[in-house]
Amino acid sequence: MRKTCKVTVNEETFVANVGDLLLDGAIMNGVELPHDCRTGICGTCRVRRVQGKVFGGDEAGSDMIHACQARIVSDLKIVTEAVPDPVSLSAQVTHLARLAPDVVGVTMEVEKPLDYLPGQYCNVQFRGLPTRCYSPTYPLQRGPNPRFLHFHIRQLPDGVVSTALGTTIRVGHRVRLTAPYGHAFFRPKHRGGTVLVSGGTGFAPMWSIATAAITERPERELIFVVAARDLPSFYMDRALCRLALFPNVTIVPVVTEPQAISSAFRSGLPTEHLPNLSPNDIVYTSGAPGLTDHVARVARAAGARCYADPFVSNAKHDETTNLMSRLAGWLDSGSAPTLAPQHEPPQPPQPPPQPRRPAPKMRTPQETREYAPRFARTEISNSR
């Protein structure tokens, strides 16, 4: 007879066999645990272990575990964070804009507003094409409209979906969204420092978190390390200049390829320009797995909390679309339009902006060791 263990998730308790995956045990017993990829990458099923032991799925020096990878080996008590339940929505493409040589901004109108937390992502299926994971983001210009979602999508040479932007996928293309997912979302009411690190289109979820953080506390101390491959790929400059208006915000722009045009940009990898962290900090990072893994290790060594959103690309040889889905895609497509120049879709009338002081130049610290004096450790009460 197999040994059983008692598992408590928040206030619900069930019995599972030793060796069962925590996620499977919860689902089989009717206990809701958010999940998506089931490979330990997305972080959606990440929960905090309060008591007990698991085999696998845990992080060294952390009480957080991935329920899809952790096997039950003792009685357990775990807690989860309150997140919106995933829903399925229909949408349609309303705008395509060329943000950078290999990045397209896609705006979609949804049938009803999507309840999600800044930093979470959506499973997006353009009709006739495979599903992909993209993070909705705050608009680069103007304010948000709850009926529209904005995405930054990098076009890969072998990408089935991304190469269809502007050809098969055009204005009016129908979309199915399932969301929200992901664990790397904004945590409000944090009284320490906030550090954001993004690479490429990993900027999208980090931009959502940045705007949410500053909206919650305009005096918040925030460092944003933003990396792109080269200067033409640095499409977020105007948005970052607006963020730099706030007195305690430091922007660290990084390009990985050498350039001699502007001294405002750091060279090298974004991981070479991380600030000195402390246990009072909270870190959010998004981009290639190598970047997010490195940032998470640095944060863990400093005792800081870190929430990572790794981006994993999908190559053509991984696709398994069938004839009917391809036919649906052909029916959705018409003549191949060109991408519009970068600008935002029409927005509803907005009140005139309040007068503000002239924008300062983007601040960039000179050396990593000089972050410490600028990154104040004083705690400030919330002023929501």
Side-chain angles (χ1 to χ4, degrees):
M1 184 174 180
R2 297 187 66 181
K3 181 181 177 182
T4 59
C5 298
K6 183 173 70 172
V7 181
T8 301
V9 180
N10 297 329
E11 302 299 324
E12 297 183 89
T13 299
F14 62 91
V15 175
N17 292 319
V18 169
D20 285 351
L21 287 171
L22 175 56
L23 178 59
D24 290 343
I27 292 174
M28 287 188 293
N29 286 276
V31 177
E32 291 288 338
L33 276 184
H35 63 281
D36 184 26
C37 73
R38 296 187 69 95
T39 62
I41 295 177
C42 72
T44 300
C45 68
R46 206 163 172 250
V47 298
R48 184 165 66 87
R49 180 183 58 207
V50 178
Q51 293 178 355
K53 297 179 180 179
V54 295
F55 178 77
D58 54 348
E59 302 173 2
S62 171
D63 57 2
M64 304 303 294
I65 59 176
H66 293 266
C68 71
Q69 302 294 300
R71 295 192 177 273
I72 300 166
V73 296
S74 74
D75 290 348
L76 277 176
K77 183 176 182 181
I78 63 174
V79 293
T80 63
E81 293 181 282
V83 295
D85 293 328
V87 297
S88 184
L89 297 174
S90 62
Q92 68 173 358
V93 175
T94 59
H95 189 71
L96 297 170
R98 176 67 64 185
L99 302 180
D102 61 346
V103 177
V104 177
V106 180
T107 300
M108 302 176 192
E109 183 176 8
V110 291
E111 58 180 332
K112 62 180 180 180
L114 174 65
D115 183 17
Y116 71 98
L117 301 175
Q120 290 191 295
Y121 68 89
C122 305
N123 284 338
V124 180
Q125 184 177 25
F126 295 95
R127 185 172 181 184
L129 293 165
T131 301
R132 291 289 181 264
C133 301
Y134 300 123
S135 299
T137 190
Y138 196 86
L140 292 176
Q141 300 175 18
R142 303 194 182 117
N145 183 329
R147 292 300 299 269
F148 292 90
L149 295 178
H150 305 268
F151 300 88
H152 302 166
I153 301 177
R154 182 187 173 202
Q155 289 187 300
L156 301 172
D158 56 355
V160 169
V161 176
S162 62
T163 56
L165 294 169
T167 54
T168 301
I169 300 172
R170 59 191 180 95
V171 171
H173 198 107
R174 283 171 284 178
V175 185
R176 173 59 58 178
L177 300 171
T178 307
Y181 295 107
H183 185 70
F185 53 81
F186 174 62
R187 270 74 177 179
K189 301 181 181 179
H190 175 69
R191 300 182 65 179
T194 300
V195 177
L196 309 177
V197 185
S198 72
T201 51
F203 173 77
M206 295 299 99
W207 177 238
S208 289
I209 291 175
T211 53
I214 290 300
T215 299
E216 183 199 28
R217 270 189 24 224
E219 76 280 12
R220 182 184 297 274
E221 196 79 38
L222 184 147
I223 289 180
F224 198 168
V225 181
V226 185
R229 185 179 66 253
D230 50 30
L231 287 178
S233 298
F234 207 87
Y235 64 87
M236 60 290 287
D237 53 342
R238 292 184 180 179
L240 291 173
C241 284
R242 295 205 314 275
L243 183 62
L245 288 169
F246 294 89
N248 295 322
V249 170
T250 299
I251 308 296
V252 186
V254 180
V255 291
T256 55
E257 293 186 359
Q259 58 86 29
I261 298 175
S262 173
S263 60
F265 289 83
R266 302 286 189 90
S267 60
L269 300 175
T271 50
E272 298 171 4
H273 303 286
L274 298 177
N276 298 320
L277 300 175
S278 85
N280 294 326
D281 298 329
I282 186 168
V283 181
Y284 301 94
T285 180
S286 184
L291 166 66
T292 59
D293 289 349
H294 184 104
V295 173
R297 288 196 302 271
V298 172
R300 189 160 52 243
R305 282 191 291 160
C306 181
Y307 300 99
D309 184 13
F311 280 21
V312 180
S313 64
N314 299 88
K316 248 182 191 177
H317 57 75
D318 292 330
E319 307 299 350
T320 55
T321 54
N322 58 33
L323 179 61
M324 291 305 295
S325 65
R326 290 177 184 273
L327 176 60
W330 294 333
L331 292 175
D332 268 351
S333 64
S335 58
T338 58
L339 294 176
Q342 179 179 347
H343 64 274
E344 297 294 323
Q347 300 284 336
Q350 298 184 1
Q354 297 298 317
R356 301 190 66 177
R357 64 182 184 279
K361 293 182 179 180
M362 190 177 297
R363 296 182 294 280
T364 57
Q366 298 302 308
E367 298 293 342
T368 300
R369 62 178 178 274
E370 295 184 9
Y371 279 101
R374 280 207 46 81
F375 204 43
R377 303 305 173 191
T378 55
E379 293 187 347
I380 332 174
S381 59
N382 285 320
S383 60
R384 188 182 178 97

